[in-house]
């Protein structure tokens, strides 16, 4: 879906797409280390600004994308999550969340034709993530089920990430 959306928007040549897969049956915290290694490899081999790295996933992939972004705000600027929630986030016991300078941002997509447990979980996650102070875009689509190929939400979420990318550009020294 990401590749197709970038193609539709005429942006295919402006982004590097990396895809990983789970280390077990489902995505979990065990996937964080391979994601870190993949990200570090990409940063060594391509001119990548670490505040312009975005993650995208559906279901367990959306969960691990958002959890990884929350736990590694120095590497990941934002995460797009389809059809599932997440629970692992920093506690803010040692440092407050800074949504303007260092916290990742989230874009959550929920298909209303998805499983009832997914609908409940995503809505619950939205409430918890928002209550912590993260910036979250939350979208529900009546016609969307349990999938991620959905041009309206794909294009909107990537346009959002592009705006974040442009927003996160530091001014040039004078």
């Amino acid at each position: 879906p990401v590749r197709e959306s970038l193609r539709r928007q005429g942006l295919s040549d402006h982004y590097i797409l990396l895809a990983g897969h789970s280390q077990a049956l489902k995505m979990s915290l065990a996937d964080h280390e391979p994601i870190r290694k993949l990200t570090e490899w990409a940063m060594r081999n391509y001119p990548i600004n670490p505040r312009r790295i975005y993650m995208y996933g559906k279901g367990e992939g959306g969960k691990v994308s958002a959890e990884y972004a929350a736990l590694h705000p120095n590497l990941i600027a934002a995460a797009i999550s389809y059809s599932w929630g997440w629970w692992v986030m920093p506690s803010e016991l040692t440092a407050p969340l800074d949504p303007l300078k260092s916290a990742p941002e989230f874009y959550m997509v929920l298909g209303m034709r998805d499983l009832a447990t997914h609908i409940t979980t995503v809505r619950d996650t939205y409430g918890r993530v928002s209550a912590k102070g993260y910036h979250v875009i939350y979208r529900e689509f009546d016609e969307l089920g349990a999938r991620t190929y959905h041009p309206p939400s794909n294009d909107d979420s990537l346009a959002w990430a592009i705006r974040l990318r442009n927003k996160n550009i530091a001014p040039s020294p004078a």
Side-chain angles (χ1 to χ4, degrees):
V2 173
R3 184 176 319 148
E4 290 302 313
S5 183
L6 290 172
R7 190 173 296 145
R8 278 192 301 277
Q9 296 180 56
L11 298 170
S12 296
D13 295 336
H14 296 94
Y15 294 88
I16 298 166
L17 300 180
L18 302 173
H21 62 85
S22 65
Q23 303 300 297
L25 183 59
K26 290 185 170 188
M27 304 278 305
S28 69
L29 291 173
D31 295 300
H32 285 214
E33 182 63 14
I35 291 168
R36 184 191 61 74
K37 288 179 179 178
L38 180 62
T39 304
E40 287 176 353
W41 172 85
M43 290 172 65
R44 280 192 312 271
N45 290 283
Y46 297 97
I48 297 173
N49 178 335
R51 291 303 303 151
R52 292 183 176 170
I53 298 175
Y54 305 93
M55 297 186 73
Y56 176 104
K58 181 230 179 259
E60 293 292 328
K63 176 188 124 191
V64 82
S65 294
E67 286 179 348
Y68 191 82
L71 294 174
H72 301 281
N74 58 322
L75 289 177
I76 307 300
I80 298 168
S81 177
Y82 275 73
S83 186
W84 200 236
W86 64 92
W87 296 265
V88 177
M89 292 177 266
S91 67
E92 290 85 51
L93 293 177
T94 57
L97 178 69
D98 186 348
L100 296 175
K101 293 183 182 171
S102 61
E105 297 194 30
F106 299 101
Y107 189 108
M108 299 177 69
V109 178
L110 175 61
M112 298 313 295
R113 292 179 39 222
D114 203 340
L115 300 171
T117 55
H118 288 207
I119 292 171
T120 303
T121 299
V122 172
R123 286 177 171 167
D124 173 67
T125 301
Y126 169 66
R128 285 184 291 104
V129 173
S130 295
K132 280 183 148 299
Y134 288 99
H135 289 163
V136 183
I137 302 292
Y138 175 78
R139 304 280 313 272
E140 293 183 356
F141 292 88
D142 290 334
E143 72 281 5
L144 181 60
R147 60 187 194 139
T148 62
Y149 184 76
H150 182 248
S153 65
N154 300 151
D155 292 354
D156 190 61
S157 64
L158 290 177
W160 166 80
I162 291 164
R163 286 190 303 274
L164 282 179
R165 174 184 183 205
N166 293 333
K167 179 178 97 173
N168 289 332
I169 295 174
S172 301

